[in-house]
Amino acid sequence: MSKENSILKINNLQTSFFLEGDNEVKAVDGVTFDVPKGKTLGIVGESGSGKSITAMSILKLIGHPGKIKGGEILFNDQNLVESSEKEMRKIRGNRISMIFQEPMTSLNPVYTVGQQISESYSIHQGLSKKESKKKVIEMLKLVGIPSPEKRINQYPFELSGGMRQRVMIAMALACRPELLIADEPTTALDVTIQAQILELIRELQDELGMSVIFITHDLGVVAETCDYVAVMYCGKVVEYADVKTLFKNPRHPYTVGLLNSLPRSDMDQEELIPIKGTVPSPDDMPEGCRFAPRCPFATDLCREKLPNLDDIGDAEQIRCWIYTDEWDGDPEVKVYEPQK
Ligand SMILES: Nc1ncnc2c1ncn2[C@@H]1O[C@H](COP(=O)(O)OP(=O)(O)OP(=O)(O)O)[C@@H](O)[C@H]1O
Ligand SMILES: [Mg+2]
């Protein structure tokens, strides 16, 4: 784990959905990671690996039939798992804010765009009505909304999907949060606006020392914007490393598979090699390492026993038998050892 000061430390977080007939879907199944202060942590992993549910657990936004079963979410030493709804309301949209994958869910349909954003300026920052209106217009301009003077009087349903996403980003940034969680924030936007928004997040990070959790499928964006990366598979972190190490010396066979299979700007489409097989379904989870059925190196040990998330070096963790003394397979596969 990172030796730097952390704003958020998640230990063994477990969030499940309890469906009919005793069916438990372990969406987040023992997640552990740190977000160092002022830094950006990227979370990557195939669809369904538990990225969004981890993010929503941090803000305690998991409703029935979902439940946080256990673990700790330490935000500046306050354990959010134990915090009351009243305490969470002081934190949400103020000290921690989130940009959701699905923008409609987080905008209130009965307030205008201007009312929603200005709330953060007038309530949390104590600005007058006139000052906060000026700030709202500035913020809407910043996120690329044309004629913001007119837009502030519109309701969410009057805006297109892309515009709503920008309003949500403006709202999340207006409160100047200590931690911003961005879940695929720019996928619905065109490339120019995407770049502008990433730049805006970076500027605020420099100015305010804001920490960021960035969930994305775009490894190019990860390489450019993140300091650390957590790779998730089937509700667990399988590798955590600083961004340079992760791209230069990926160690978990799943991380290697992801790097080879997701498109990046510096690769040709033809060079991509998909990971064979598919993500196991939650009601048919392998007993040992979740990735064993798809892993080219798996042995009986991997199929039978789940490896721990072990520290390797100062700021790296890996959940894989290959890097333990118990490894009983081909010693040659440790080719992902760090280069000197
Ligand atoms: N309301 C729900 N009821 C039951 N299962 C759920 C519910 N919400 C999420 N899940 C399950 O939890 C798991 C993790 O979902 P999550 O949305 O966190 O994935 P993700 O990594 O964000 O995927 P994506 O990249 O597609 O956004 C999935 O298996 C999903 O089916
Ligand atoms: Mg998601």
Side-chain angles (χ1 to χ4, degrees):
M1 198 72 7
S2 156
K3 288 262 182 331
E4 295 180 66
N5 238 342
S6 300
I7 185 151
L8 189 81
K9 270 179 186 289
I10 299 191
N11 294 321
N12 195 25
L13 178 69
Q14 300 151 53
T15 303
S16 287
F17 291 92
F18 295 90
L19 309 179
E20 272 170 35
D22 262 356
N23 184 6
E24 177 182 355
V25 176
K26 296 181 176 177
V28 175
D29 189 13
V31 160
T32 296
F33 63 72
D34 259 32
V35 184
K37 236 180 208 148
K39 299 285 159 83
T40 300
L41 170 76
I43 304 183
V44 299
E46 280 165 292
S47 191
S49 55
K51 304 180 298 292
S52 295
I53 301 299
T54 299
M56 288 172 53
S57 300
I58 297 171
L59 282 171
K60 302 269 289 280
L61 291 174
I62 304 290
H64 183 78
K67 194 172 177 269
I68 299 182
K69 281 201 320 182
E72 280 181 332
I73 301 170
L74 297 173
F75 174 60
N76 289 319
D77 296 329
Q78 176 181 357
N79 185 1
L80 302 184
V81 172
E82 305 283 326
S83 297
S84 66
E85 181 52 29
K86 197 173 158 204
E87 286 170 315
M88 286 312 298
R89 251 181 260 138
K90 280 191 220 150
I91 290 177
R92 271 186 222 125
N94 182 22
R95 298 179 63 198
I96 306 179
S97 66
M98 178 157 172
I99 304 170
F100 291 85
Q101 219 167 345
E102 178 32 71
M104 212 42 198
T105 49
S106 63
L107 292 175
N108 193 326
V110 301
Y111 292 108
T112 65
V113 164
Q115 283 166 329
Q116 304 202 35
I117 305 175
S118 67
E119 191 178 306
S120 139
Y121 290 113
S122 51
I123 298 177
H124 301 308
Q125 291 172 48
L127 298 185
S128 72
K129 240 181 161 179
K130 205 171 152 203
E131 284 168 328
S132 56
K133 185 175 170 191
K134 208 174 131 215
K135 287 269 183 192
V136 172
I137 291 173
E138 258 172 42
M139 195 41 108
L140 290 177
K141 254 193 206 142
L142 265 179
V143 294
I145 292 184
S147 352
E149 297 82 359
K150 282 188 211 139
R151 295 287 182 179
I152 54 171
N153 298 318
Q154 291 187 321
Y155 290 88
F157 71 86
E158 297 177 87
L159 304 174
S160 69
M163 285 297 158
R164 278 202 291 266
Q165 186 71 347
R166 285 178 225 187
V167 169
M168 207 172 55
I169 293 168
M171 225 163 85
L173 294 175
C175 67
R176 306 182 153 238
E178 288 162 63
L179 174 65
L180 173 74
I181 305 175
D183 189 355
E184 308 263 6
T186 56
T187 28
L189 305 175
D190 68 61
V191 182
T192 332
I193 298 290
Q194 260 186 50
Q196 282 169 12
I197 285 168
L198 293 177
E199 185 55 34
L200 175 65
I201 292 175
R202 223 171 297 160
E203 276 170 27
L204 278 172
Q205 196 163 18
D206 287 346
E207 191 189 319
L208 308 170
M210 180 172 80
S211 313
V212 179
I213 295 179
F214 206 99
I215 299 173
T216 176
H217 282 109
D218 188 333
L219 291 176
V221 170
V222 172
E224 236 172 80
T225 59
C226 298
D227 302 293
Y228 294 89
V229 187
V231 180
M232 282 188 67
Y233 188 71
C234 293
K236 295 182 187 297
V237 172
V238 296
E239 183 160 3
Y240 178 101
D242 70 82
V243 69
K244 278 203 188 105
T245 305
L246 192 103
F247 280 94
K248 201 168 156 213
N249 293 303
R251 300 211 223 204
H252 199 291
Y254 179 62
T255 311
V256 176
L258 265 189
L259 294 183
N260 288 332
S261 64
L262 291 180
R264 272 182 289 157
S265 46
D266 57 345
M267 271 173 118
D268 285 335
Q269 202 71 20
E270 302 85 67
E271 290 178 66
L272 301 178
I273 313 164
I275 307 175
K276 69 169 192 176
T278 50
V279 178
S281 104
D283 50 19
D284 192 23
M285 226 8 109
E287 225 172 273
C289 171
R290 307 308 193 225
F291 189 59
R294 304 173 74 186
C295 180
F297 311 116
T299 65
D300 285 345
L301 173 68
C302 308
R303 282 181 281 269
E304 281 157 21
K305 256 174 89 182
L306 180 72
N308 291 324
L309 185 64
D310 290 327
D311 286 332
I312 292 192
D314 283 349
E316 252 194 290
Q317 291 191 312
I318 187 152
R319 189 190 281 284
C320 177
W321 286 119
I322 294 176
Y323 304 94
T324 67
D325 294 338
E326 282 109 303
W327 177 238
D328 58 348
D330 182 357
E332 292 289 308
V333 302
K334 294 200 187 193
V335 287
Y336 308 122
E337 291 277 18
Q339 293 159 15
K340 294 264 155 55

